[in-house]
Amino acid sequence: MMISFTIPGAVVGKGRPRFARRGNFVTTYTPDKTASYENLVKVKAEEAMQGMALFDGAVSVDIELKISPPASWSQKKQLQALSGQIYPTSKPDVDNVIKGIFDAMNDIVWGDDKQVCEVHITKRFAQTPCASVSVRNL
C-alpha cells in the first residue's frame, strides 16, 4: 500500500506550545500558524487515503520540502538557488516540519507516528513552495 499527496503553500514547522494565564489557571495552546498548517495536512492526507484503512505496522515516509528563495536576494542569487547551487539553510527546521506533518497524519494515515521506521527528507529551493509526502508499508 502507498499514498502520496502535496501540501500547497509555504512549509511550516511545528511551533512550541504557548502558555496563557486565565485567572488562577495556566492554559496551553498551539500557535495559530501551526494549527492551520496541520489542518491543511489533515485535509490533504484524508483526500489521499480515499477511505482506505489506516497503515498497519512499520512505514517508510519520503518528504520533499520546497522553499521559495528570499525576495530580498538578487535575481542572480535567486536563479542559483532555484538551479540547486544554493541550499536552503534557514528556517523552517526539517525536524520541526516532520513533527507537524506526522502529528497531523495520526489517526488519518496511521494509528500513531511511532509506526514510522524510515524517513527520507529533502529541503530545496523552488519557484512554488510546497511539501510532497509519500507513505508506504515496509
Side-chain angles (χ1 to χ4, degrees):
M1 186 163 106
M2 180 178 171
I3 63 156
S4 295
F5 60 95
T6 299
I7 307 153
V11 176
V12 177
K14 183 160 184 132
R16 293 178 185 243
R18 303 290 184 215
F19 301 92
R21 183 173 296 281
R22 307 261 191 250
N24 292 331
F25 303 97
V26 175
T27 59
T28 60
Y29 64 95
T30 303
D32 290 340
K33 192 173 179 182
T34 299
S36 63
Y37 189 71
E38 286 184 5
N39 286 334
L40 179 59
V41 173
K42 286 178 184 182
V43 168
K44 295 300 179 181
E46 285 172 346
E47 289 173 4
M49 288 298 285
Q50 300 175 355
M52 292 186 295
L54 298 178
F55 278 81
D56 190 25
V59 297
S60 173
V61 182
D62 290 317
I63 301 175
E64 186 178 354
L65 305 176
K66 297 178 182 176
I67 312 292
S68 294
S72 60
W73 284 5
S74 68
Q75 191 75 15
K76 180 181 175 185
K77 191 170 182 180
Q78 286 187 19
L79 289 173
Q80 287 175 323
L82 293 172
S83 68
Q85 297 173 39
I86 300 173
Y87 291 97
T89 56
S90 58
K91 289 189 179 260
D93 299 358
V94 294
D95 58 325
N96 292 335
V97 174
I98 289 171
K99 183 70 177 152
I101 291 173
F102 282 10
D103 284 352
M105 292 167 59
N106 284 339
D107 297 322
I108 295 172
V109 175
W110 48 56
D112 191 83
D113 54 357
K114 66 183 176 189
Q115 292 173 239
V116 178
C117 294
E118 189 175 278
V119 178
H120 180 258
I121 186 162
T122 57
K123 182 168 89 166
R124 301 288 187 267
F125 283 115
Q127 196 70 49
T128 307
C130 67
S132 299
V133 180
S134 294
V135 181
R136 67 178 172 82
N137 282 322
L138 280 177

